[in-house]
């Protein structure tokens, strides 16, 4: 099968905000306890943080990390996680029916984030609590001193404010499962008043208001319109979430889901424009896609186990083990974000460690890379610069979720400072190789090309503690410099990164 792709240096989508490659850590399952924090582990540092996990997070180079939830945040009292550890209360977490020991709170997370080389994105509880909780938390975290909450932070050992820029106004408030769920009008009013109070403290904060939990929600997309009409003058981003599943075990359908993602982004972008026009506003509101990933492998089992258990502390939960097929899916999702990077400015893979995550740990044992670690790392480290608007001619297929899905999914990024163009390419076809002619215009002469490929004969192949390298990138030989560009040979169901030095 043949495809033609044209890239031109002047056909640009946007400068990518590096926060497109953000991540997410929730007090859920073993994400925090025995994930990032395990004081008895041989790799633990003096604060109990696992050094082996920090190293893997640094390797992923994720510039921002959302915390502490997720559903967890909607009944979370941040004050439980400050002060002497032996005096912190154990609470019931109603979202996941577990116990929360509060041994990790904002101080521990902030120290960890610094070590892991990531900026904090903090979520506020607008479920069981509201404006007062929000303003006190922001004062605690960001005010230099001389006030009740900032002085308490100092007493608790942190003299300097952390200066956190990005704040999420609640989590998935459209979801009936959420503690303190609200109607769009109720939430819009609360979010706007909270945002006004936070802006009175610091105008430069970047505020994220909740959009839909996914595009199948009955309230979507009216939710976005109502919430934005209430908050447009105060917020900078609207948050969207989407999880990808393949219960039908149909690879072509599964890999077409990124088209649904694209439509979701397009629709919400339209709603933003509608509200902007209606309000005669010049303000720019963008999308923070702050939860996305494959999530289905353990989902039904987990729901059943949760119903039966007796409030355990840090049980294994949402521990999806990813396979080769998920590499392709994650590649298509990241490509969609790159192609939409004019409107999707931030995005967070959900989550980072153990819970639907690229990094897994064994308590007392090693940490390893899940299959999806690799496409995420490629995009995060090489997908920085200017996103290109590619012209793609390629055979397509019709899926239930979308018609005209191209067998080739490709995104390109030009890094002018480094002098490179990088392409991320997925061949969605189950049996045909994609012979692709890629023409490069306006970039100057190409000097060299490198190809890395991820493929496996078994789409179900996974990385485990005993076999952590089963699915991993290898050097490919499918990219050749040609007159005016490149030729690419992309095997069936493969993920490729092609880097051209200019
Ligand atoms: O990431 C897992 C959960 O998915 C989050 O807690 C919630 O926000 C979403 O429904």
């Amino acid at each position: 099968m043949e495809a033609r792709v044209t890239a031109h240096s002047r056909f640009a989508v946007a400068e990518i905000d590096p926060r497109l490659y953000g991540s997410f850590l929730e007090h859920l399952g073993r994400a925090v306890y025995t994930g990032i924090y395990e004081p008895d582990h041989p790799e633990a540092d003096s604060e109990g943080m696992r050094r082996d996990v920090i190293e893997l997070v640094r390797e992923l180079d994720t510039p921002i990390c959302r915390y502490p939830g997720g559903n967890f945040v909607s009944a979370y009292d941040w004050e439980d996680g400050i002060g002497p550890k032996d005096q912190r209360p154990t609470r019931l977490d109603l979202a996941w029916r577990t116990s929360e020991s509060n041994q990790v709170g904002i101080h521990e997370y902030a120290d960890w984030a610094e070590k892991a080389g990531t900026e904090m994105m903090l979520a506020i509880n607008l479920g069981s609590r509201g404006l007062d909780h929000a303003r006190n938390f922001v004062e605690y975290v960001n005010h230099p001193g001389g006030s009740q909450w900032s002085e308490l932070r100092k007493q608790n050992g942190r003299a300097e404010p952390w200066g956190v820029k990005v704040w999420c106004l609640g989590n998935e408030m459209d979801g009936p499962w959420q503690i303190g769920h609200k109607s769009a009008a109720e939430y819009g009013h609360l979010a706007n008043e909270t945002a006004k109070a936070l802006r009175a403290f610091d105008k430069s904060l970047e505020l994220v208001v909740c959009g839909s939990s996914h595009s199948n929600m009955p309230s979507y997309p009216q939710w976005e319109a109502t919430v934005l009409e209430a908050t447009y003058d105060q917020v900078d981003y609207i948050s969207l979430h989407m999880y990808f599943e393949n219960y039908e075990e149909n690879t072509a359908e599964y890999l077409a889901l990124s088209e649904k993602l694209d439509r979701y982004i397009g629709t919400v972008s339209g709603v933003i424009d509608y509200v902007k026009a209606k309000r005669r506003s010049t303000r720019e509101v963008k999308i923070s896609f702050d939860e996305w990933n494959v999530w289905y492998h353990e989902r039904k089992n987990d729901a059943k186990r949760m119903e039966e258990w007796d409030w355990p502390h840090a049980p294994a939960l949402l521990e999806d083990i990813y396979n080769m097929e998920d590499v392709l899916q994650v590649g298509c999702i990241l490509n969609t974000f790159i192609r939409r990077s004019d409107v999707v400015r931030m995005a967070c893979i959900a989550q980072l460690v153990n819970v639907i995550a690229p990094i897994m740990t064994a308590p007392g044992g090693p940490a390893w890379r899940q299959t999806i670690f690799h496409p995420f790392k490629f995009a995060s480290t090489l997908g920085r610069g200017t996103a290109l608007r590619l012209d793609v001619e390629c055979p397509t297929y019709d899926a239930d979720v979308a018609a005209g899905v191209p067998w080739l999914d490709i995104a390109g990024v030009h890094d002018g400072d480094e002098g490179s163009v990088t392409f991320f390419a997925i061949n969605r076809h189950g049996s045909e190789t994609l012979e692709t002619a890629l023409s490069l215009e306006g970039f100057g002469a190409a000097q060299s090309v490198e190809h890395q490929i991820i493929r496996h004969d078994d789409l179900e192949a996974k990385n485990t503690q005993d076999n952590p390298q089963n699915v991993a990138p290898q050097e490919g030989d499918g990219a050749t410099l040609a007159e005016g560009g490149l030729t690419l040979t992309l095997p069936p169901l493969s993920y490729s990164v092609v880097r051209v030095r200019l």
Side-chain angles (χ1 to χ4, degrees):
M1 190 186 299
E2 290 185 355
R4 295 185 67 79
V5 178
T6 306
H8 195 294
S9 64
R10 283 166 52 198
F11 295 169
V13 177
E15 270 309 292
I16 292 173
D17 184 329
R19 296 177 299 181
L20 196 64
Y21 308 114
S23 58
F24 173 37
L25 196 73
E26 177 167 0
H27 280 253
L28 194 183
R30 301 193 307 111
V32 171
Y33 306 107
T34 73
I36 63 165
Y37 178 77
E38 193 177 347
D40 299 336
H41 194 279
E43 285 283 342
D45 65 14
S46 51
E47 272 79 44
M49 296 297 174
R50 284 184 62 154
R51 277 185 290 247
D52 53 347
V53 175
I54 289 174
E55 241 170 71
L56 287 174
V57 176
R58 292 193 80 91
E59 188 181 326
L60 277 182
D61 199 7
T62 176
I64 194 162
C65 185
R66 185 166 173 256
Y67 173 88
N71 295 342
F72 171 80
V73 81
S74 293
Y76 178 54
D77 296 330
W78 65 270
E79 302 91 329
D80 291 345
I82 59 175
K85 283 191 175 182
D86 58 0
Q87 290 168 31
R88 297 185 191 174
T90 292
R91 299 266 189 213
L92 299 186
D93 164 27
L94 302 173
W96 303 104
R97 301 193 74 250
T98 55
S99 297
E100 170 55 53
S101 65
N102 284 301
Q103 293 304 290
V104 171
I106 182 63
H107 288 260
E108 292 77 21
Y109 176 65
D111 285 352
W112 175 85
E114 205 174 323
K115 290 174 194 160
T118 189
E119 180 189 329
M120 293 189 274
M121 175 196 279
L122 293 179
I124 288 166
N125 174 357
L126 288 190
S128 68
R129 300 181 81 180
L131 195 156
D132 261 350
H133 148 82
R135 71 184 178 118
N136 296 345
F137 191 26
V138 174
E139 182 184 313
Y140 188 90
V141 171
N142 278 1
H143 194 58
S147 67
Q148 181 190 346
W149 294 105
S150 56
E151 288 302 316
L152 184 59
R153 183 196 67 239
K154 289 183 177 180
Q155 274 172 38
N156 286 333
R158 171 75 188 194
E160 295 301 315
W162 286 294
V164 171
K165 281 277 163 227
V166 184
W167 294 82
C168 303
L169 303 168
N171 174 69
E172 293 189 351
M173 298 309 299
D174 62 327
W177 59 85
Q178 207 65 225
I179 305 291
H181 158 67
K182 292 168 178 58
S183 70
E186 287 164 347
Y187 171 67
H189 179 73
L190 175 61
N192 192 52
E193 291 307 311
T194 306
K196 270 166 56 189
L198 301 191
R199 291 235 180 270
F201 169 73
D202 178 356
K203 279 194 184 52
S204 73
L205 298 179
E206 295 180 55
L207 302 180
V208 187
V209 74
C210 294
S212 292
S213 305
H214 53 80
S215 59
N216 293 338
M217 291 297 290
S219 52
Y220 165 80
Q222 185 57 49
W223 173 276
E224 277 76 5
T226 306
V227 166
L228 280 176
E229 284 190 33
T231 58
Y232 200 86
D233 294 338
Q234 299 296 340
V235 300
D236 304 285
Y237 303 90
I238 183 153
S239 145
L240 299 182
H241 295 174
M242 181 168 172
Y243 290 99
F244 296 72
E245 19 187 81
N246 187 16
Y247 289 112
E248 307 298 322
E249 298 185 6
N250 180 332
T251 303
E253 278 299 331
Y254 180 48
L255 297 181
L257 285 172
S258 52
E259 297 288 309
K260 184 174 174 184
L261 168 65
D262 186 70
R263 221 161 46 224
Y264 186 17
I265 295 166
T267 302
V268 174
S269 174
V271 176
I272 295 171
D273 286 348
Y274 162 78
V275 177
K276 181 177 178 183
K278 200 169 168 194
R279 296 184 68 88
R280 312 289 189 264
S281 177
T282 53
R283 187 181 181 81
E284 296 281 346
V285 171
K286 301 288 181 183
I287 293 173
S288 168
F289 216 108
D290 45 40
E291 283 188 36
W292 67 267
N293 204 350
V294 173
W295 176 16
Y296 75 100
H297 294 285
E298 289 298 325
R299 200 166 179 160
K300 289 179 180 163
N301 289 341
D302 283 337
K304 203 154 162 272
R305 287 167 60 233
M306 269 172 61
E307 271 171 27
E308 287 160 7
W309 66 31
D310 191 19
W311 306 95
H313 180 249
L317 189 57
L318 276 63
E319 297 200 2
D320 274 24
I321 305 302
Y322 294 115
N323 59 29
M324 175 63 216
E325 194 181 47
D326 302 325
V327 169
L328 307 174
Q329 181 66 277
V330 165
C332 290
I333 297 168
L334 287 161
N335 278 358
T336 308
F337 290 146
I338 292 171
R339 290 189 293 261
R340 288 285 193 170
S341 55
D342 51 339
V343 54
V344 181
R345 302 301 288 163
M346 299 194 287
C348 302
I349 187 170
Q351 299 192 6
L352 186 57
V353 184
N354 287 333
V355 170
I356 42 174
I359 298 170
M360 289 301 292
T361 70
W368 65 97
R369 300 166 186 80
Q370 289 236 53
T371 62
I372 61 166
F373 183 99
H374 301 293
F376 186 86
K377 176 183 162 181
F378 277 129
S380 168
T381 54
L382 304 178
R384 307 216 183 177
T386 308
L388 295 171
R389 193 175 300 285
L390 304 177
D391 181 66
V392 180
E393 292 168 55
C394 158
T396 61
Y397 66 100
D398 290 341
D400 288 347
V401 78
V405 182
W407 289 111
L408 171 65
D409 189 281
I410 187 163
V413 179
H414 178 205
D415 184 337
D417 295 337
E418 212 216 29
S420 65
V421 191
T422 303
F423 297 95
F424 306 94
I426 295 97
N427 180 354
R428 290 184 169 109
H429 204 284
S431 56
E432 300 244 359
T433 296
L434 265 167
E435 299 295 350
T436 305
L438 201 160
S439 90
L440 287 172
E441 295 174 15
F443 294 101
Q447 305 297 335
S448 62
V449 62
E450 297 147 37
H451 179 205
Q452 304 221 51
I453 187 161
I454 312 177
R455 61 187 298 223
H456 200 289
D457 291 341
D458 179 7
L459 270 189
E460 299 273 318
K462 301 171 177 66
N463 291 347
T464 57
Q465 183 176 348
D466 296 333
N467 192 5
Q469 301 282 7
N470 190 25
V471 179
Q474 289 161 355
E475 226 167 273
D477 58 4
T480 320
L481 288 182
E483 185 71 13
L486 304 172
T487 59
L488 306 179
T489 300
L490 306 170
L493 298 173
S494 64
Y495 168 94
S496 286
V497 181
V498 176
R499 192 159 177 82
V500 182
R501 306 265 170 194
L502 304 167

